[in-house]
Amino acid sequence: MTVTLAPNPAPTAMSGPEVLKGATWFETNWPFMSSFFFPIALVVPFLPFFFSRPSIKSAFLDALRSPYVLGWLTVPFYLIHQTEEHAYDLRGWRYAFVPNFNHGVGALLFDCEKQGHLRCPLEPRITLEVNVGCVWIGFVVCMICAHYLRGPYAYAGICNWGMCIVNSLGGHLLPWLLMGYNPGAFQSLFQVAFGIYVLATCPGTCRFAAVAIFDGILFHAIVFGIGTSISIKLGWPTEVTGLLSIIFTTAFPLRLASCFAPRSEYDKMKDSDEESA
């Protein structure tokens, strides 16, 4: 019996606009909103320190010692990551990540022979739901809860850095090394470097860094390995994957922080918590 494979041509500069045909305004334009929010999200976590420290240098250094600030920084780092992935990449290609992923890694990991590779496994709706669910909602809600709950929960955002590192290494830098440039790879260099800095400077480094990386691996296994597969094979609503994205960037990292955060540091950071809350 002959198996006919779906065409899987290499993406071009026109592949992204082709994928976006028929997409809603929000599905098409949300990456530009990420670009707009990026400088705001980058500056706001530092403001309490700039107004309470004698110099910009001391404010900056003290801020980078706060697990709250480090947790909030997942937001701007990933917003600018989304810009290279889904707005315009370094080649000037519009919405280039989806066709690139579907042609390469997506074709290897998912069965898209029936649907075709142009919009499988990723298409504009599920791409929107995962990215907005994870970054706009998940990262932000996680840090709001961390401020409210305090104590070990202050380190929940550090767990989300594990997700950022795993995504950048496994989804961008390794494929760049093996298959050439992919949208989001250039920003991933900085995201991985700063993520490693965050994990290396966090108290209880080895143990909690391992927990953060575990969080990142499990996020991708559940959200993409299970959530996306269910949507493809069983035809379940893509909102299932979006909901999983939110759960695994809010409830799960908060739970990990409550169990594994470096408890000996709580009293030392008490004053810093009150200033940065």
Side-chain angles (χ1 to χ4, degrees), residues 32-55:
F32 299 107
M33 299 172 69
S34 289
S35 304
F36 173 80
F37 290 134
F38 162 69
I40 301 172
L42 182 62
V43 171
V44 167
F46 292 94
L47 289 180
F49 293 87
F50 289 153
F51 288 117
S52 62
R53 299 299 191 273
S55 68

Side-chain angles (χ1 to χ4, degrees), residues 15-275:
S15 298
E18 179 67 22
V19 172
L20 287 172
K21 286 183 178 179
T24 66
W25 183 91
F26 192 38
E27 290 168 352
T28 301
N29 292 286
W30 69 266
F32 299 107
M33 299 172 69
S34 289
S35 304
F36 173 80
F37 290 134
F38 162 69
I40 301 172
L42 182 62
V43 171
V44 167
F46 292 94
L47 289 180
F49 293 87
F50 289 153
F51 288 117
S52 62
R53 299 299 191 273
S55 68
I56 293 178
K57 180 180 179 180
S58 63
F60 187 73
L61 293 176
D62 285 350
L64 290 180
R65 296 187 187 101
S66 167
Y68 293 114
V69 173
L70 295 175
W72 275 113
L73 287 178
T74 56
V75 179
F77 266 86
Y78 225 96
L79 290 175
I80 199 64
H81 183 71
Q82 292 173 334
T83 299
E84 186 187 345
E85 282 187 315
H86 305 292
Y88 287 96
D89 68 7
L90 293 187
R91 302 166 297 185
W93 290 16
R94 171 77 173 98
Y95 202 74
F97 176 80
V98 169
N100 183 280
F101 181 86
N102 290 348
H103 170 73
V105 176
L108 293 174
L109 299 180
F110 297 91
D111 182 7
C112 292
E113 297 306 324
K114 293 182 180 179
Q115 297 94 326
H117 293 282
L118 183 63
R119 294 183 177 87
C120 178
L122 299 182
E123 43 80 32
R125 184 178 183 87
I126 195 170
T127 303
L128 163 71
E129 290 167 349
V130 169
N131 279 273
V132 171
C134 171
V135 181
W136 294 20
I137 300 174
F139 285 177
V140 172
V141 171
C142 179
M143 291 313 301
I144 291 173
C145 292
H147 278 282
Y148 177 76
L149 296 170
R150 303 276 183 119
Y153 298 99
Y155 291 85
I158 309 298
C159 291
N160 279 331
W161 270 111
M163 190 282 283
C164 296
I165 292 172
V166 170
N167 179 272
S168 291
L169 279 176
H172 293 280
L173 296 183
L174 184 59
W176 190 3
L177 181 65
L178 297 177
M179 296 182 286
Y181 172 77
N182 61 82
F186 180 70
Q187 189 278 343
S188 290
L189 293 171
F190 303 93
Q191 187 155 282
V192 168
F194 191 77
I196 291 174
Y197 163 81
V198 170
L199 297 188
T201 57
C202 179
T205 297
C206 292
R207 179 171 178 261
F208 198 63
V211 170
I213 296 300
F214 169 75
D215 172 84
I217 294 172
L218 196 61
F219 172 92
H220 287 83
I222 298 295
V223 174
F224 293 106
I226 297 178
T228 304
S229 295
I230 286 176
S231 297
I232 294 173
K233 294 181 179 180
L234 302 181
W236 284 23
T238 56
E239 287 81 3
V240 172
T241 307
L243 180 61
L244 288 173
S245 297
I246 295 173
I247 292 172
F248 277 86
T249 49
T250 53
F252 190 64
L254 286 165
R255 181 57 179 167
L256 288 178
S258 72
C259 295
F260 299 104
R263 298 179 182 274
S264 61
E265 295 297 312
Y266 300 164
D267 290 336
K268 295 180 183 178
M269 59 177 279
K270 182 177 180 181
D271 293 337
S272 176
D273 290 349
E274 293 173 351
E275 292 170 356

